[in-house]
Amino acid sequence: MAARDTTDSDLPLPLANRHDDVVQGHWLLARLGKRVLRPGGAELTYKLLALADVTACDVVELAPGLGRTAAEIIYRRPRSYIGVEQDPDAARAVRSMTLGYGDVRVAKAADTGLPDASADIVVGEAMLTMQGDKAKAAIVAEAARLLRPGGRYAIHELALTPDELPEDVKTDIRQALAKSIKVNARPLTIAEWRQLLAARGLLVDHIETAPMALLQPRRLISDEGILGALRFAKNVLIQRDARRRVLHMRRTFSKHRDRLTAVAIVAHKSDER
């Protein structure tokens, strides 16, 4: 399924108008034409959705952003789709893509307002990483509340590796990421992601990993296609402030590449909770 191009007009208005020096990294990349903004790229998203098996299911997606994953979910023909997006402009953009399957409501991921046990599958990509510990726990608790017994929670996030990474190294990496992408990113180790899910009765069934190669040429071509990658490269070259930010992000990712990985996890809700 071909994804639509991302332009400034697609972005939530307050973010689309912010200066390149202060806008969050993912929105900056989107503004430059980057359509796939997941740490493991489109391929890991495809694996996640295949493992979650969204076809003929009632699906809730938390923080769909500009709707790339929403389009992939709809392509797989769920029974219904509900997006929960905090930004009204982003919600409006995704809503236009989901006609005939459901709706997108403006709400927080930790407080969706949806009924208990109303979903077979909850999906969230590249959003828990950007939250502090309390917010992570609140969002996972909300996902568990929405799921029916046996329902599946599918996430695609950034992870630290290995599990035994010293705390001071974790702190250094998190600080470097926050400075680079202008978001207080707090990736966890895979063991810590498991623990976060287990604390809410979510038992891990599948784990897939992929290199965190968001800005590497091979990943850019794989995710965006040759023309999309060239368009992104051209925009980076001609926009000086944006270029400085993108190069800083790429240097940060490269410096810590041996300690960063993308992870996709599918867990199910225990019947006992």
Side-chain angles (χ1 to χ4, degrees):
M1 183 175 193
R4 66 200 181 103
D5 289 342
T6 301
T7 66
D8 263 14
S9 61
D10 295 317
L11 297 177
L13 294 176
L15 295 174
N17 295 329
R18 286 185 186 173
H19 194 272
D20 291 340
D21 284 338
V22 298
V23 71
Q24 293 177 346
H26 57 288
W27 288 122
L28 175 66
L29 297 177
R31 197 156 65 189
L32 293 168
K34 187 88 174 70
R35 300 176 303 186
V36 178
L37 299 168
R38 311 312 190 197
E43 184 176 354
L44 195 57
T45 292
Y46 301 152
K47 288 181 179 179
L48 179 74
L49 295 180
L51 291 169
D53 191 14
V54 301
T55 302
C57 291
D58 295 319
V59 180
V60 172
E61 185 182 9
L62 304 178
L66 298 180
R68 175 66 188 240
T69 301
E72 296 295 341
I73 292 171
I74 296 302
Y75 179 73
R76 289 162 174 77
R77 298 187 180 278
R79 182 185 300 115
S80 67
Y81 171 92
I82 297 291
V84 180
E85 172 57 55
Q86 187 172 351
D87 185 275
D89 298 299
R92 190 177 305 113
V94 179
R95 188 175 294 122
S96 67
M97 305 166 60
T98 63
L99 297 177
Y101 285 91
D103 196 10
V104 180
R105 61 165 49 202
V106 179
K108 295 181 179 180
D111 185 15
T112 65
L114 295 170
D116 291 356
S118 58
D120 298 308
I121 300 173
V122 175
V123 177
E125 290 199 282
M127 49 90 67
L128 287 172
T129 299
M130 305 304 179
Q131 313 297 324
D133 293 341
K134 289 184 179 180
K136 279 184 175 70
I139 292 169
V140 173
E142 181 71 351
R145 184 186 69 79
L146 294 176
L147 287 171
R148 298 170 181 135
R152 301 178 292 284
Y153 185 28
I155 63 173
H156 175 175
E157 299 291 343
L158 188 60
L160 298 171
T161 188
D163 288 338
E164 301 78 18
L165 203 62
E167 287 300 322
D168 60 330
V169 177
K170 294 180 188 178
T171 298
D172 288 345
I173 295 172
R174 288 165 177 161
Q175 289 177 346
L177 289 172
K179 183 177 180 181
S180 175
I181 64 177
K182 308 296 184 184
V183 179
N184 189 26
R186 293 190 58 80
L188 305 177
T189 66
I190 292 176
E192 289 168 341
W193 283 120
R194 277 182 172 272
Q195 292 165 8
L196 177 67
L197 296 169
R200 292 297 173 178
L202 298 166
L203 307 180
V204 172
D205 298 309
H206 304 284
I207 295 178
E208 293 280 345
T209 61
M212 202 310 202
L214 187 67
L215 295 176
Q216 295 301 315
R218 184 175 297 180
R219 175 69 63 76
L220 283 168
I221 293 171
S222 174
D223 284 348
E224 314 297 334
I226 293 177
L227 291 179
L230 289 173
R231 181 169 55 249
F232 174 77
K234 176 184 176 182
N235 289 336
V236 171
L237 286 172
I238 64 178
Q239 298 182 42
R240 185 182 61 182
D241 291 340
R243 182 172 67 251
R244 183 171 60 249
R245 283 282 313 280
V246 171
L247 291 176
H248 186 197
M249 283 189 277
R250 184 177 175 184
R251 285 194 298 270
T252 300
F253 298 154
S254 295
K255 178 180 178 180
H256 299 289
R257 63 181 177 272
D258 293 336
R259 297 290 182 260
L260 293 172
T261 188
V263 63
I265 302 175
V266 178
H268 73 274
K269 182 176 180 178
S270 170
D271 293 344
E272 297 177 2
R273 292 180 69 96

